[in-house]
């Protein structure tokens, strides 16, 4: 690798940082210039992320970038493997979609929207690329600081109330993060992830309880951000109150906690971790299953579309956490497919909800159970039916309806879209823990519980989405909303990517399985980082 390509790993951080810094002093009258700069930055991030993913998959090796050429145990190091590249692609695509959607009105609802959005992208990319825990904390704080402004973007009592709760919870989680990192550093003397993985197996027995206590506290911070039950009570109100572009990119923020858990649990507490191997796996499995159950109840209990989308985020987080706790390569590979599919579908759903709500007239949000209980007036004569044999569905409603149906299929894990491929791969891994065709199925109690949770959560999602779709698309108390091309295009792009993942199921599955195998056998990761040369 030569020329500018050797600096490719730093560009997903440097480009949004530079773009956000340029936008801050711009006057409000230069909205078009800021929007053009933001879109250009997002397009560049898509190109860089795709190049890094292509490079990671074809090369198969871990790419290391040492800022300042300092030794990896002391300086800042960025690490690009298949998992990090996948998360970069998701961040860039969702960021571009949210920015395009915001061009019509949401960018003007508050100051510094574009600058905050660029810093949000910078923090997300940095969290996925960093190779040490301290810089992971730094990038966490960058993305959280930007998210505080985006959560309050547009003002309003609901956003301020939910935003203050969101800020308080995340400040507490950041404190736990610092405490956990400090304890781990005090025991091991390093915060570089690869260096930690090489030192933990040889750690003296008397220091191991302190290490595991620090890891548990650190895990609490990550699980709060991943919204695991009962730590995820903040997610529903915050995501429901946020503006649609902010909510779309927020849907990926819960995946940051999942990413950190996935990365550290397999790197630091994998099979080579000695006495600490598998630490916390049972708790992740149990907590993930309970989160799936809580999310399923949430989607069934609400008829508000934004809270329904928040419940889908909870189901997604619970599914991924339980899959990590299962500790099987095949399950992890399926979980990565599900991660990508659910992130795209939930982002599209948050954008789509705003378009659906536009056509709802006053009084249309009366609960369906209330209408069913009281009816339109007992004893009143029914209106005479007309002779119409059908109703013309405007093109706008047809596009919105098909988009909503695709989101429902992906999130429920039904064929033919990519959500089904991810769930099928996870179920196949659960039923065949030793490999397909290698022996008779043998499920543990946790495996059975996860299997049942995946099936029932899909059924609950189908029921909730079907009910919401009927009320939002077939109700007589709505009009056809005015939807701009720049608003529906991001939704169609995200859904189109889910369709593309389905059409390219073979390459997608191979990429995700290769990423899962490298995560479960992190020797190449450790060797690549520790043996990196200037």
């Amino acid at each position: 690798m030569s020329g500018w390509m050797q600096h490719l790993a730093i560009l997903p951080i440097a480009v949004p940082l530079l773009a956000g810094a340029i936008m801050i002093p711009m006057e409000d009258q230069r909205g078009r210039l800021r929007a053009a700069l933001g879109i250009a930055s997002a397009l560049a991030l898509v190109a860089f992320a795709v190049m890094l993913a292509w490079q990671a998959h074809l090369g198969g090796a871990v790419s290391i970038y040492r800022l300042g050429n300092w030794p990896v145990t002391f300086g800042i190091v960025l690490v690009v493997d298949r998992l990090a590249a996948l998360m970069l692609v998701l961040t860039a695509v969702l960021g571009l979609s949210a920015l395009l959607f915001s061009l019509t009105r949401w960018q003007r609802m508050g100051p510094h929207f574009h600058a905050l959005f660029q810093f949000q992208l910078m923090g997300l990319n940095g969290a996925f690329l960093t190779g040490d825990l301290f810089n992971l904390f730094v990038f966490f704080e960058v993305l959280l600081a930007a998210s505080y402004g985006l959560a309050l973007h547009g003002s309003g009592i609901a956003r301020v109330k939910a935003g203050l709760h969101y800020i308080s919870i995340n400040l507490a989680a950041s404190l736990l993060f610092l405490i956990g990192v400090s304890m781990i550093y005090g025991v091991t003397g390093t915060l570089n992830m690869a260096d930690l993985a090489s030192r933990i197996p040889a750690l003296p027995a008397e220091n191991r309880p302190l290490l595991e206590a620090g890891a548990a506290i650190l895990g609490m911070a990550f699980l709060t951000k991943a919204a695991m039950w009962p730590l995820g009570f903040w997610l529903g109100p915050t995501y429901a109150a946020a503006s649609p572009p902010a909510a779309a990119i927020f849907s990926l923020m819960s995946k940051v906690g999942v990413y950190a858990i996935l990365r550290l649990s397999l790197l630091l507490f994998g099979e080579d971790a000695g006495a600490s191997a598998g630490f916390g796996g049972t708790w992740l499995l149990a907590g993930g299953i309970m989160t799936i159950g809580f999310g399923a109840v949430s989607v069934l209990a609400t008829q508000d579309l934004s809270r329904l989308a928040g419940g889908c985020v909870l189901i997604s987080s619970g599914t991924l956490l339980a899959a990590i706790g299962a500790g099987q390569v095949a399950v992890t590979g399926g979980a990565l497919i599900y991660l990508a599919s659910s992130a795209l579908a939930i982002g599209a759903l948050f954008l789509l909800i705003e378009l659906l709500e536009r056509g709802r007239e006053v009084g249309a949000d009366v609960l369906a159970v209330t209408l069913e209980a009281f009816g339109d007036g007992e004893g009143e004569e029914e209106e005479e039916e007309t002779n119409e044999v059908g109703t013309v569905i405007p093109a706008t409603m047809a596009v919105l309806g098909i988009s909503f149906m695709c989101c429902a299929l992906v999130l429920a894990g039904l064929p033919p879209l990519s959500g089904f491929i991810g769930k099928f791969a996870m179920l196949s891994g659960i039923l065949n823990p030793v490999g397909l065709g290698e022996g008779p199925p043998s499920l543990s109690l946790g495996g059975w519980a996860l299997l049942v949770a995946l099936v029932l959560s899909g059924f609950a999602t189908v029921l909730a989405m079907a009910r919401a779709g009927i009320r939002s698309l077939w109700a007589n108390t709505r009009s056809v909303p005015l939807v701009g091309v720049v608003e529906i295009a991001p939704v169609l792009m995200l859904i189109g990517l889910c369709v593309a993942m389905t059409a390219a199921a073979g390459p997608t599955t191979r990429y995700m399985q290769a990423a899962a195998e490298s995560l479960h056998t992190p020797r190449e990761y450790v060797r690549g980082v520790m043996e990196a040369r200037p």
Side-chain angles (χ1 to χ4, degrees):
M1 191 184 306
S2 61
W4 71 273
M5 286 291 292
Q6 64 181 327
H7 302 290
L8 187 59
I10 191 63
L11 294 181
I13 299 174
V15 169
L17 172 62
L18 181 61
I22 294 175
M23 291 175 182
I24 289 178
M26 284 186 176
E27 298 179 359
D28 293 339
Q29 290 79 6
R30 298 184 177 179
R32 291 185 178 180
L33 180 59
R34 285 183 297 180
L37 183 59
I39 296 299
S41 172
L43 287 171
L45 290 180
V46 172
F48 298 149
V50 171
M51 292 171 66
L52 286 170
W54 184 264
Q55 175 183 303
H57 186 54
L58 290 186
V62 179
S63 300
I64 312 300
Y65 189 84
R66 307 186 338 170
L67 276 76
N69 244 352
W70 285 89
V72 294
T73 53
F74 300 105
I76 299 174
V77 58
L78 304 179
V79 185
V80 183
D81 61 354
R82 291 183 179 90
L83 176 61
L86 169 65
M87 302 308 294
L88 291 178
V89 171
L90 291 177
T91 301
V93 170
L94 282 170
L96 177 62
S97 302
L99 278 175
L100 288 174
F101 189 89
S102 68
L103 293 180
T104 53
R105 53 178 294 223
W106 290 103
Q107 63 171 339
R108 300 189 298 270
M109 298 298 290
H112 302 301
F113 170 81
H114 285 287
L116 288 171
F117 203 93
Q118 293 298 316
F119 293 138
Q120 176 86 51
L121 296 178
M122 171 202 167
L124 287 169
N125 290 335
F128 298 137
L129 286 171
T130 186
D132 65 89
L133 289 179
F134 181 77
N135 287 303
L136 179 61
F137 171 77
V138 172
F139 285 117
F140 256 93
E141 293 308 303
V142 170
L143 69 91
L144 286 175
S147 71
Y148 298 154
L150 291 176
L152 299 173
H153 179 73
S155 189
I157 296 176
R159 288 198 180 100
V160 172
K161 182 179 179 180
L164 291 177
H165 291 169
Y166 171 71
I167 293 172
S168 301
I169 294 299
N170 279 282
L171 288 176
S174 298
L175 178 60
L176 292 177
F177 197 136
L178 276 180
I179 294 173
V181 165
S182 301
M183 293 175 67
I184 293 174
Y185 182 76
V187 173
T188 61
T190 184
L191 290 178
N192 183 276
M193 297 179 189
D195 198 15
L196 280 170
S198 62
R199 295 190 187 193
I200 286 176
L203 198 67
E206 60 271 17
N207 291 340
R208 199 165 292 275
L210 190 59
L211 168 72
E212 294 180 354
I217 295 174
L218 187 63
M220 291 288 289
F222 293 143
L223 292 174
T224 300
K225 299 177 190 300
M228 189 184 83
W229 184 87
L231 304 174
F233 59 90
W234 56 270
L235 186 143
T238 302
Y239 284 29
S243 64
I249 198 66
F250 282 5
S251 65
L252 193 62
M253 286 182 58
S254 62
K255 304 300 186 292
V256 179
V258 173
Y259 167 84
I261 292 289
L262 176 61
R263 172 75 74 189
L264 296 178
S265 62
L266 295 177
L267 182 61
L268 305 185
F269 301 107
E271 297 178 355
D272 299 332
S276 297
F279 174 74
T282 303
W283 288 102
L284 285 177
L285 178 60
I289 292 173
M290 288 189 289
T291 306
I292 294 173
F294 181 72
V297 172
S298 299
V299 298
L300 291 174
T302 184
Q303 296 193 36
D304 179 78
L305 287 176
S306 296
R307 288 186 176 271
L308 173 61
C312 292
V313 175
L314 291 174
I315 293 176
S316 174
S317 292
T319 300
L320 296 170
L321 292 173
I324 297 171
Q328 301 173 26
V329 177
V331 177
T332 303
L336 293 179
I337 301 174
Y338 178 78
L339 183 154
S341 302
S342 62
L344 296 173
I346 292 173
L349 181 59
F350 273 116
L351 300 180
L352 188 61
I353 286 171
E354 201 272 336
L355 304 180
L356 292 173
E357 292 290 345
R358 285 183 192 175
R360 180 167 297 184
E361 299 176 0
V362 178
D365 56 349
V366 179
L367 293 178
V369 290
T370 306
L371 292 175
E372 184 177 352
F374 295 98
D376 296 325
E378 187 174 350
E380 296 180 1
E381 294 183 0
E382 297 182 358
E383 296 183 1
E384 185 178 353
E385 296 182 358
T386 62
N387 293 326
E388 294 180 359
V389 294
T391 303
V392 176
I393 300 177
T396 299
M397 295 304 299
V399 173
L400 294 178
I402 293 173
S403 301
F404 188 85
M405 181 183 67
C406 290
C407 291
L409 291 175
V410 173
L411 295 175
L414 294 178
L417 297 181
S418 55
F420 171 73
I421 299 174
K423 278 201 171 182
F424 182 82
M426 284 189 286
L427 292 174
S428 177
I430 294 169
L431 292 170
N432 303 278
V434 297
L436 187 62
E438 299 295 330
S442 59
L443 268 71
S444 62
L445 180 61
W448 277 113
L450 178 54
L451 187 149
V452 172
L454 290 177
V455 173
L456 292 183
S457 64
F459 182 63
T461 304
V462 168
L463 290 179
M465 296 289 282
R467 179 184 62 188
I470 290 172
R471 293 183 60 246
S472 300
L473 297 165
W474 288 357
N476 294 325
T477 55
R478 65 166 298 124
S479 58
V480 179
L482 296 176
V483 178
V485 175
V486 75
E487 293 176 310
I488 196 61
V491 177
L492 297 179
M493 180 178 69
L494 294 176
I495 295 174
L497 288 174
C498 292
V499 175
M501 287 178 62
T502 307
T508 300
T509 302
R510 286 193 293 271
Y511 183 96
M512 302 304 185
Q513 288 296 332
E517 291 171 2
S518 64
L519 287 170
H520 281 265
T521 54
R523 298 184 187 90
E524 186 66 27
Y525 180 97
V526 175
R527 186 183 305 113
V529 175
M530 300 305 297
E531 296 179 0
R533 293 290 181 265

